[in-house]
């Protein structure tokens, strides 16, 4: 009579020990595999499934077996890419640490923004939000400014500087609802 419950408990105990013994698998990529630099600042997966890496030595696109690297010889303002964001129609935006924003569109890299309000700027973070009628690219820059760049239906683009009450911006975070949170030295704005 006690044998059945004992066998039942032992069976499930052995099953649980087997389940917890599994380890997740992962791949480790380095410059030997084609990654442009071992210093990676940002990464994202685009709508086509490619994984993009913002590195100290260019922007890398990974398709599952090989890397394609974009550098200044391909049209980037700088090889120090800090942030990557995908916009509408497969456009890829590159945030340069030294000189603004480039865009990859239809296989070619173009100058998107090199100056804001008449001054060169460094990018810290790029985020793209497709919420609402006017999709927007949020550019968090040094010296600590936040710009919203509206991407209109054609190639017409405008920008505005957003006043964040002289707070030190730390990071931008996009929520699943497409809302953008601004993390500052004094909390969330």
């Amino acid at each position: 009579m006690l044998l059945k419950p004992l066998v039942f408990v032992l069976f499930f105990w052995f099953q649980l020990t087997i389940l917890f013994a599994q380890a997740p698998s992962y791949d480790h990529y380095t410059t030997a595999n084609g990654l442009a630099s071992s210093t990676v600042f940002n990464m994202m997966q685009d709508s086509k499934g490619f994984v993009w890496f913002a590195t100290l030595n260019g922007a890398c696109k990974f398709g599952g077996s090989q890397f394609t690297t974009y550098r200044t010889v391909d049209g980037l303002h700088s090889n120090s890419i800090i942030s990557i964001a995908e916009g509408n129609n497969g456009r890829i935006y590159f945030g340069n640490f030294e000189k603004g924003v480039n865009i990859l569109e239809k296989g070619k890299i173009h100058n998107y923004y090199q100056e804001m309000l008449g001054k060169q700027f460094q990018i810290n973070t790029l985020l793209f939000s497709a919420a609402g009628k006017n999709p927007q690219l949020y550019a968090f820059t040094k010296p600590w400014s936040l710009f919203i760049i509206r991407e209109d239906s054609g190639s017409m683009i405008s920008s505005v500087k957003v006043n964040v009450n002289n707070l030190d911006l730390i990071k931008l975070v996009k929520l699943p609802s497409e809302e953008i949170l601004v993390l500052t030295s004094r909390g969330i704005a």
Side-chain angles (χ1 to χ4, degrees), residues 166-182:
N166 296 323
L167 297 175
D168 289 332
L169 299 176
I170 297 170
K171 187 174 181 180
L172 299 175
V173 177
K174 182 167 68 169
L175 300 176
S177 64
E178 293 286 327
E179 292 177 295
I180 305 294
L181 292 181
V182 179

Side-chain angles (χ1 to χ4, degrees), residues 11-151:
F11 174 77
F12 279 106
W13 183 76
F14 285 119
Q15 293 298 319
L16 287 175
T17 60
I18 292 170
L19 288 175
F20 288 114
Q22 297 174 2
S25 66
Y26 62 91
D27 293 319
H28 182 80
Y29 295 103
T30 66
T31 55
N33 304 107
L35 187 61
S37 172
S38 60
T39 303
V40 176
F41 298 108
N42 185 247
M43 57 186 282
M44 66 142 211
Q45 184 172 10
D46 69 16
S47 59
K48 296 176 185 169
F50 293 107
V51 178
W52 290 86
F53 298 90
T55 78
L56 189 60
N57 195 23
C60 292
K61 178 174 81 169
F62 183 66
S65 61
Q66 71 181 43
F67 288 91
T68 303
T69 301
Y70 298 91
R71 293 190 173 101
T72 54
V73 296
D74 301 304
L76 290 176
H77 293 142
S78 164
N79 283 334
S80 296
I81 305 300
I82 299 298
S83 191
I84 298 177
E86 182 178 17
N88 282 341
N89 304 317
R91 295 176 181 137
I92 305 293
Y93 295 92
F94 303 105
N96 293 268
F97 176 70
E98 299 159 339
K99 299 179 184 173
V101 181
N102 288 110
I103 183 172
L104 176 65
E105 186 174 27
K106 299 177 183 171
K108 293 187 110 184
I109 294 177
H110 305 282
N111 177 22
Y112 188 68
Y113 270 101
Q114 195 165 355
E115 292 184 353
M116 290 279 191
L117 305 174
K119 295 181 182 177
Q120 282 193 345
F121 63 98
Q122 301 171 341
I123 291 292
N124 187 302
T125 301
L126 288 176
L127 282 176
F128 187 82
S129 177
K133 294 180 181 179
N134 299 316
Q136 297 174 335
L137 181 70
Y138 291 80
F140 169 32
T141 68
K142 291 183 178 181
W144 316 120
S145 298
L146 176 65
F147 293 95
I148 299 172
I149 304 166
R150 290 189 176 88
E151 183 183 59

